[in-house]
Amino acid sequence: MTTTVPATGRVGADRRRHGRPGVLWALPAGLFFVLFGLAPIAVVAGLSLTRWNGLGDPAWTGLANWRALLDDADLGHGIGATVLLTVLCWAVQTPLALLLGVWAAAPQRNRAILSAAFFLPLLLSTAAIALAWLSLLDPNFGAAATVGPWLGAPDGNLLGDPDRALYVVAFVIAWQFVPFHTLMYQAAVRQIPASLYEAAAIDGAGRVRQFRAVTLPLLRHTIVASSVLMIVGSLTYFESILLLTGGGPGTATRVLPLHMYIKGFVGFDMGYASTLAVLLVAVGTVLSVLIVRTTGYHRMTSDREGL
């Protein structure tokens, strides 16, 4: 829940008066981020300026790998597939997670039991989930042989259809990650005071009106945080697609992270793969900043802070 707080100077004075934590409290996390976040990015950025097959010493090539981006015939399709997968993931996961989170936040015991079962995918590894769905989507022995005709694929080969494969991948990813985002919404809804719903009910608001007038506005920042995780996370989906389709059929599901893997660990062109990695980091950073700045998330304040 968000509320209005006093001006910045007054907040700072209150924090000093009550012994609020200073910057030293963030030092361990900052060092961890520098060591395991920024340092690897710096190394990869350096490799993007070299030619290296993974063995021996990298050879300096300057901006040759960056110029090669313009001649990469698969790059444009990879960007398009990545954008489509990102849009699909957000459009599918956000409403499902939001509605399930609101539903699961209620105190009934049956909802708690169903919620616990629903969160089981969070306990499974990405590889296990991908292999399980690969078996289910097998057109010969899996459930896809039965479901496929209902979805317009008479042979049940959903993953082998270039027009449907990416949508099937988005469905599998949604099945894996909707429980996580549901958990975020469930926790956020439980922070909304019941008195707001009681006041809305007194004013004659029904369930739908209470959801639109009370729940949605107070979940605004949770929606933004969840959206950032979904969109930036879409730029890292790799192992699921590798196991489900290997980027195929053809290049239908060859998103940028998989394109980077193929260039680096199949073509042994680590320098160019590093260039793609730096490009993904830059795009993810820009998208995160744009979302945070345009939604006002960076101005979020709260009266329920910690120490």
Side-chain angles (χ1 to χ4, degrees):
M1 173 187 177
T2 60
T3 58
T4 301
V5 299
T8 303
R10 182 179 170 185
V11 171
D14 289 343
R15 288 176 176 177
R16 288 190 294 272
R17 183 167 55 253
H18 296 293
R20 299 295 303 275
V23 67
L24 288 179
W25 287 60
L27 186 59
L31 291 174
F32 186 89
F33 178 68
V34 170
L35 187 60
F36 296 102
L38 294 182
I41 291 175
V43 172
V44 171
L47 286 176
S48 71
L49 304 175
T50 66
R51 184 179 64 253
W52 189 41
N53 63 3
L55 299 174
D57 296 327
W60 178 264
T61 58
L63 297 176
N65 288 324
W66 290 93
R67 288 192 292 269
L69 289 173
L70 300 176
D71 301 324
D72 189 340
D74 294 325
L75 183 62
H77 176 79
I79 292 174
T82 304
V83 171
L84 178 57
L85 182 63
T86 301
V87 172
L88 287 173
C89 288
W90 184 86
V92 172
Q93 293 182 44
T94 296
L96 286 177
L98 175 59
L99 294 176
L100 283 170
V102 173
W103 175 82
Q108 289 91 343
R109 179 177 300 178
N110 60 337
R111 300 190 188 203
I113 295 173
L114 290 175
S115 297
F118 182 68
F119 293 141
L120 284 178
L122 291 175
L123 304 177
L124 303 177
S125 70
T126 299
I129 291 173
L131 292 174
W133 276 105
L134 185 62
S135 299
L136 289 171
L137 294 170
D138 188 300
N140 299 308
F141 309 104
T146 303
V147 178
W150 302 347
L151 301 176
D155 60 355
N157 192 8
L158 295 171
L159 287 175
D161 186 338
D163 296 327
R164 294 187 177 89
L166 196 61
Y167 295 92
V168 177
V169 169
F171 168 78
V172 174
I173 292 173
W175 186 87
Q176 178 181 4
F177 288 107
V178 162
F180 170 74
H181 295 281
T182 298
L183 198 60
M184 292 181 62
Y185 287 117
Q186 182 187 26
V189 169
R190 287 182 174 173
Q191 296 300 312
I192 300 175
S195 58
L196 296 180
Y197 292 105
E198 294 168 358
I202 292 173
D203 291 339
R207 293 280 187 184
V208 176
R209 183 61 185 274
Q210 290 179 23
F211 176 75
R212 292 171 51 193
V214 178
T215 306
L216 271 183
L218 293 178
L219 290 181
R220 177 187 172 191
H221 295 300
T222 304
I223 294 173
V224 174
S226 174
S227 297
V228 169
L229 292 175
M230 287 181 194
I231 293 173
V232 176
S234 298
L235 300 177
T236 66
Y237 295 147
F238 154 71
E239 59 269 49
S240 297
I241 303 174
L242 178 67
L243 292 170
L244 284 170
T245 66
T251 56
T253 58
R254 190 164 168 168
V255 295
L256 277 184
L258 185 59
H259 185 52
M260 175 188 66
Y261 168 81
I262 292 173
K263 287 293 184 182
F265 294 95
V266 178
F268 297 102
D269 190 350
M270 296 296 180
Y272 186 69
S274 298
T275 305
L276 293 172
V278 174
L279 183 64
L280 282 170
V281 170
V283 171
T285 303
V286 170
L287 284 176
S288 299
V289 172
L290 280 178
I291 294 172
V292 170
R293 299 293 298 184
T294 56
T295 58
Y297 185 80
H298 63 294
R299 294 190 296 271
M300 180 181 68
T301 56
S302 173
D303 61 354
R304 296 192 174 189
E305 299 179 18
L307 291 173

